Amino acid sequence: MSNDPRQRLDRYVDQYAARARTMVASEIRALFAVAARPEIVSLAGGMPYITALPLDAVGELAGQLVTDCGAVALQYGSGQGDPGLRESICEVMALEGIRAHPDEVVVTVGSQQALDLMTRIFIDPGDVVLAEAPSYVGALATFASYQASVVHVPMDDDGIIPEALEETIARLAAAGKRIKFLYSVPTFHNPAAVTLPAQRRARVLDICRRSDLLLIEDNPYGLLGFDGEPQRALRADSADGVVYLGSFSKTIASGLRVGWALAPHGIRDKLVLAAESAVLCTSSLAQLMVREYLATQPWQDQIKVFCELYAERRDAMLSALEASMPTGCRWTRPGGGFYVWLKLPDGLNSKVMLPRAISARVAYVPGTGFYADGSGSEYLRLSFCYPEPARIKEGVRRLAGVVEAEIELRDTFGSWPADTPA
Ligand code: PMP
């Protein structure tokens, strides 16, 4: 037998389940190693700026928790999650107009696990999932790993287009396809940075209701708006047609890995069983830390601190884009969240351009990662959540230089075909 560990791994390739073939590294994952180098300004990953948390207070709280009730905090918990935390989660959701009972909440290992569990419960290979074009890369990876067939529904500057949703549902029904659910990030979308206005929310809910289509509302950024009150959640107006996914990753700390699903009772039961088979329970220590943090710390003020910080970074990015991007580029102006979605001038390909951007010491995520069919090469995602404003400006300046150079290349040699492999 070879001593090369890669060859030894390869020995089992033929024995992998069919679903393992659909598990491939995302664009973001492959980028992380390079983008983490200090000389590179990374506008790629969507890491919350945890440094802005009162870390000493959180540390004290964690220590106290272990000292005072370590026998519970360090023990297994229930599959559904800590009852006190589920009560607090209902109070958090009330900020978005949701009236829910703690019994309908399942605590999960981040909202990513809730997505995984929902997909596991609903998807047989080949079943159709509707998802916005573009869609959150981690959701697409989950759908792929259960061999779902993702059908994208177009968006515009106001999020998913209701007419396109209706058309897509009708087309799939006519083709005899089974749609299991619509996956949507209606507020401060990742990556498109758009938000569905109230009127469209009502229309989307109405279409789903008429088509008997379950909607997964994934809302990790809902409380990270830069102006005004939080948007009313879709779930606030449809208790039985929507499964709502929430997360403390962006409002407290992503490393705690605490999220949740709010689901009608039947689905809730399945979620608990699926969660138990996956992880037995979410970390008791992490859950109690969140529970105590919500009970004892000024968490709403802290969210304001995060929002002000991210708004300043958003402004830094928008003004740098305005100042330096060549004509022909377009980008969204987010009212919250972490991202700007940028469209390159005609004929440019963000995937082909990436190695040159890395050489120029700036990283972004090519748009192709956010489409199940690998389209989207004319787009890229920039995140403003992690670097300080001066770094953001420098990163955008570098990126603008790369785009200028690409335009020159295009004008000299012609465009890359959209499906050019990088
Ligand atoms: N949904 C969306 C839209 C996200 O952007 C993310 C994280 N980037 C997640 C879900 C997963 O978040 P977590 O598991 O940390 O709660």
Side-chain angles (χ1 to χ4, degrees):
M1 192 182 12
S2 161
N3 280 331
D4 179 344
R6 274 172 310 169
Q7 273 197 15
R8 272 187 275 131
L9 254 186
D10 281 348
R11 260 186 70 196
Y12 299 104
V13 160
D14 291 345
Q15 293 166 52
Y16 287 160
R19 79 183 77 89
R21 279 183 219 125
T22 63
M23 296 175 191
V24 288
S26 76
E27 312 267 342
I28 300 184
R29 169 86 93 75
L31 257 175
F32 265 146
V34 193
R37 295 213 302 259
E39 69 274 21
I40 293 185
V41 177
S42 178
L43 306 174
M47 288 193 307
Y49 194 69
I50 301 298
T51 314
L53 256 192
L55 294 176
D56 43 355
V58 177
E60 214 168 284
L61 180 152
Q64 204 68 49
L65 204 55
V66 174
T67 312
D68 294 350
C69 45
V72 176
L74 301 178
Q75 184 55 277
Y76 291 118
S78 87
Q80 190 172 357
D82 177 73
L85 174 61
R86 286 188 280 112
E87 258 176 50
S88 308
I89 285 173
C90 290
E91 285 162 28
V92 173
M93 291 189 293
L95 298 176
E96 295 166 342
I98 295 176
R99 288 162 55 112
H101 192 277
D103 204 35
E104 301 165 296
V105 175
V106 183
V107 180
T108 54
V109 182
S111 52
Q112 187 67 34
Q113 194 203 9
L115 257 174
D116 183 273
L117 300 179
M118 281 298 294
T119 314
R120 188 186 320 186
I121 291 168
F122 279 92
I123 297 300
D124 288 316
D127 282 346
V128 174
V129 167
L130 296 186
E132 289 139 345
S135 266
Y136 164 51
V137 61
L140 293 181
T142 299
F143 301 151
S145 75
Y146 288 96
Q147 298 163 280
S149 162
V150 173
V151 176
H152 282 297
V153 182
M155 289 199 282
D156 61 18
D157 288 349
D158 286 332
I160 195 166
I161 303 170
E163 295 75 21
L165 175 61
E166 255 179 327
E167 263 167 41
T168 310
I169 294 171
R171 177 165 48 83
L172 289 164
K177 299 272 190 204
R178 185 130 195 244
I179 311 173
K180 287 296 181 72
F181 54 75
L182 163 65
Y183 169 74
S184 172
V185 181
T187 309
F188 313 135
H189 191 271
N190 176 6
V194 294
T195 294
L196 202 64
Q199 226 185 358
R200 265 203 192 175
R201 287 178 187 240
R203 287 198 60 196
V204 167
L205 281 178
D206 182 52
I207 293 167
C208 289
R209 203 173 291 124
R210 282 190 281 114
S211 316
D212 200 18
L213 179 61
L214 177 66
L215 195 153
I216 298 184
E217 177 178 24
D218 185 13
N219 194 27
Y221 304 99
L223 296 181
L224 292 182
F226 304 150
D227 7 66
E229 293 299 302
Q231 283 277 340
R232 189 173 168 80
L234 289 154
R235 166 59 177 75
D237 296 310
S238 174
D240 59 352
V242 176
V243 172
Y244 176 99
L245 310 186
S247 174
F248 291 111
S249 286
K250 279 87 186 177
T251 48
I252 306 179
S254 46
L256 290 171
R257 308 305 302 126
V258 179
W260 70 91
L262 170 68
H265 276 103
I267 299 178
R268 190 274 328 261
D269 287 349
K270 288 289 182 200
L271 280 171
V272 174
L273 293 171
E276 284 171 352
S277 91
V279 292
L280 295 182
C281 64
T282 301
S283 155
S284 301
L285 179 61
Q287 290 187 68
L288 297 199
M289 275 181 71
V290 173
R291 189 188 75 190
E292 290 310 298
Y293 177 87
L294 293 172
T296 62
Q297 302 294 311
W299 59 274
Q300 299 210 43
D301 293 343
Q302 179 58 34
I303 292 178
K304 275 198 199 113
V305 170
F306 280 130
C307 287
E308 278 164 23
L309 184 132
Y310 294 136
E312 188 194 355
R313 290 171 187 204
R314 184 262 328 247
D315 292 344
M317 180 167 276
L318 291 182
S319 62
L321 287 166
E322 208 68 64
S324 55
M325 273 295 156
T327 42
C329 290
R330 284 200 291 117
W331 54 88
T332 46
R333 285 168 177 72
F338 284 2
Y339 311 105
V340 166
W341 184 236
L342 183 142
K343 185 165 191 293
L344 291 167
D346 289 345
L348 267 57
N349 181 319
S350 63
K351 208 167 169 181
V352 172
M353 191 174 82
L354 186 60
R356 285 193 275 276
I358 298 286
S359 304
R361 292 170 298 128
V362 58
Y364 59 81
V365 186
T368 43
F370 304 98
Y371 292 81
D373 58 4
S375 61
S377 61
E378 67 275 39
Y379 293 99
L380 54 89
R381 190 192 76 179
L382 301 173
S383 39
F384 50 79
C385 46
Y386 196 75
E388 314 248 329
R391 291 275 286 171
I392 292 175
K393 283 180 190 257
E394 176 56 21
V396 170
R397 195 190 62 75
R398 291 176 190 176
L399 180 64
V402 175
V403 176
E404 300 255 18
E406 289 294 299
I407 292 174
E408 257 184 65
L409 274 177
R410 178 201 64 188
D411 292 346
T412 314
F413 299 110
S415 302
W416 295 97
D419 59 352
T420 304

